[in-house]
Amino acid sequence: MEAYSRASARRRAGSLCTVILWTAFVFCFLQLSGVDAAAKKCNQHEELCSRAYNDVSYISTHASFAVTSQENPTKPGTQFKGIKDQLDYGVRGLHFNIMQGTTASEVVLCYPDCTVNNGGTLLDSLKIVKTWMDANTNDVVTIFLEGVDTDASPAAVVKAFGDAGIDKYALKGKPESWPTLEKMIDAGTTLVVFAEDSNIAAANSQGYFIPYQDIVFKLDGPFNYGDEWTCGPWKRSTHSIMLIPHFIIQTASYNGVTYNNLPYPFNLGTTNGYQYESHAVTCRSGQSIWVNFMEVDFYDQGDVLTPTLKLNSLPYKDDNFKYFYPEFFDADPNLPSSLASRFIPEPWHITMAFGLLLIVNML
């Protein structure tokens, strides 16, 4: 009897060693085979890493710097929250309307002019973006330097980028084909800068001000309240980036001056809700390139995040088959690949399951 007990104990010990060895083997195999429990995320999502920069949809904010108070506005503005809050939310495109400041060496951000909303210097806004990018190295951000025939000094604009230290992140040169987000992140070139004014673009000897007109296909807009959202000009574009202005302006007076392009801070739940999604999908179906930037006012009103997730075929709140889910990159519209990816087990799930199975068989 005693001999039997010793033999039984040896068998149990041997079985336990077998379990441990097999568990270790499976874990090592999964690690070496490239299954990573903490996979890299690009712009907050693993699925975006393998996509080219121009195959991704982004939220961008019109006159990103022109902040006003929602509760007690004292001046017209295009946003209720500042640049850091915008980036934290998921905005990845910033539009800076550049103008000359009090001296030729100063560049300020104003909309529609500096008597209405002066958002401070370009340098100060770039420092905010740079600080955020320092802490978020896996996110690609785009800056649009707006203003054709701006009076801002090209040399002063270049200097502001250098003084802010943000130029170290800039993608240099006009790409023949866009790299993937992962390649941009690995290379540390996570900032793309488009310059609308040709003199500004030409002033940058390092080549990281990309000429707007050569790359960006900007659709019609903005719109007045009651206008139909349109997607013109209708043409087959050779540009690689599509920008859609999706915000409403109004004719109104401020300080005794009448403007025809002041922001319209009303009905934002509709403008930045189903109309945002409808506008994007309609323009995508009628144009030859992907919808890249949807430019909005008051980004935090309504819901511009969910439609953007949908455009990128990413999971979103209340994701359900009954809701519209656009087909993207051969995704099955009946079973989005991003949904299926949720059920891929992590390595430790598989390891533990395998170990438990062996233990059950041993008992």
Side-chain angles (χ1 to χ4, degrees):
M1 184 70 178
E2 184 179 346
Y4 174 79
S5 297
R6 286 198 299 269
S8 178
R10 284 195 298 271
R11 284 196 298 272
R12 286 196 298 272
S15 298
L16 183 59
C17 289
T18 300
V19 169
I20 294 172
L21 289 171
W22 271 104
T23 301
F25 170 78
V26 171
F27 183 81
C28 292
F29 173 78
L30 290 170
Q31 293 297 315
L32 292 173
S33 64
V35 179
D36 186 2
K40 178 187 291 185
K41 292 184 178 180
C42 303
N43 281 32
Q44 309 301 312
H45 298 280
E46 296 173 31
E47 297 92 332
L48 297 182
C49 288
S50 61
R51 298 186 193 170
Y53 169 82
N54 65 327
D55 284 334
V56 178
S57 294
Y58 312 87
I59 304 167
S60 70
T61 46
H62 169 229
S64 311
F65 54 88
V67 177
T68 190
S69 170
Q70 183 175 6
E71 293 77 19
N72 187 28
T74 58
K75 60 183 177 182
T78 59
Q79 310 298 331
F80 291 136
K81 295 183 179 179
I83 290 171
K84 182 183 181 300
D85 287 331
Q86 295 172 31
L87 293 169
D88 286 343
Y89 176 84
V91 170
R92 292 297 177 267
L94 303 170
H95 295 256
F96 291 165
N97 301 64
I98 53 176
M99 302 179 185
Q100 179 178 306
T102 54
T103 66
S105 61
E106 183 182 60
V107 182
V108 293
L109 305 177
C110 298
Y111 184 82
D113 61 38
C114 294
T115 65
V116 178
N117 194 308
N118 187 327
T121 67
L122 171 63
L123 176 59
D124 286 343
S125 288
L126 291 176
K127 286 180 177 179
I128 294 171
V129 180
K130 196 264 184 182
T131 299
W132 190 90
M133 294 184 71
D134 288 343
N136 296 271
T137 55
N138 280 11
D139 287 84
V140 175
V141 176
T142 302
I143 292 177
F144 295 85
L145 298 176
E146 304 276 6
V148 177
D149 300 325
T150 177
D151 61 356
S153 162
V157 175
V158 174
K159 187 175 185 298
F161 275 79
D163 289 349
I166 200 171
D167 54 339
K168 71 176 185 178
Y169 291 122
L171 181 72
K172 295 176 175 61
K174 184 170 65 175
E176 293 184 5
S177 61
W178 289 100
T180 64
L181 296 192
E182 185 171 25
K183 288 182 178 178
M184 295 173 72
I185 289 166
D186 289 345
T189 53
T190 50
L191 176 67
V192 179
V193 184
F194 293 112
E196 188 173 24
D197 184 88
S198 58
N199 293 322
I200 299 291
N204 190 299
S205 60
Q206 297 183 51
Y208 59 79
F209 287 176
I210 301 174
Y212 193 116
Q213 289 83 356
D214 295 347
I215 303 292
V216 180
F217 182 43
K218 185 175 182 178
L219 300 191
D220 292 339
F223 300 86
N224 291 297
Y225 181 72
D227 288 349
E228 181 181 355
W229 300 104
T230 61
C231 300
W234 296 102
K235 65 178 182 179
R236 191 163 187 83
S237 175
T238 57
H239 297 70
S240 59
I241 299 294
M242 187 193 297
L243 168 62
I244 301 179
H246 182 83
F247 55 91
I248 294 174
I249 57 174
Q250 62 176 325
T251 298
S253 295
Y254 177 72
N255 285 343
V257 179
T258 300
Y259 297 86
N260 63 2
N261 58 347
L262 291 183
Y264 186 80
F266 309 105
N267 301 316
L268 295 172
T270 300
T271 301
N272 291 347
Y274 78 89
Q275 289 184 352
Y276 177 100
E277 181 170 346
S278 176
H279 192 191
V281 173
T282 300
C283 293
R284 172 63 187 98
S285 64
Q287 298 288 354
S288 59
I289 55 178
W290 190 246
V291 174
N292 299 115
F293 292 93
M294 292 287 290
E295 183 184 6
V296 298
D297 282 345
F298 311 107
Y299 75 94
D300 57 319
Q301 305 298 298
D303 179 13
V304 297
L305 184 59
T306 296
T308 306
L309 292 172
K310 290 182 180 184
L311 286 168
N312 286 321
S313 292
L314 296 171
Y316 55 94
K317 184 180 178 182
D318 299 327
D319 196 347
N320 190 295
F321 292 134
K322 73 180 180 179
Y323 295 117
F324 169 75
Y325 206 103
E327 186 173 337
F328 187 47
F329 289 118
D330 299 322
D332 184 344
N334 297 315
L335 181 60
S337 59
S338 55
L339 284 178
S341 68
R342 300 179 195 174
F343 306 111
I344 296 175
E346 304 287 0
W348 69 271
H349 293 155
I350 300 173
T351 304
M352 290 297 295
F354 188 79
L356 290 172
L357 180 61
L358 286 176
I359 290 172
V360 169
N361 289 333
M362 180 184 69
L363 298 175

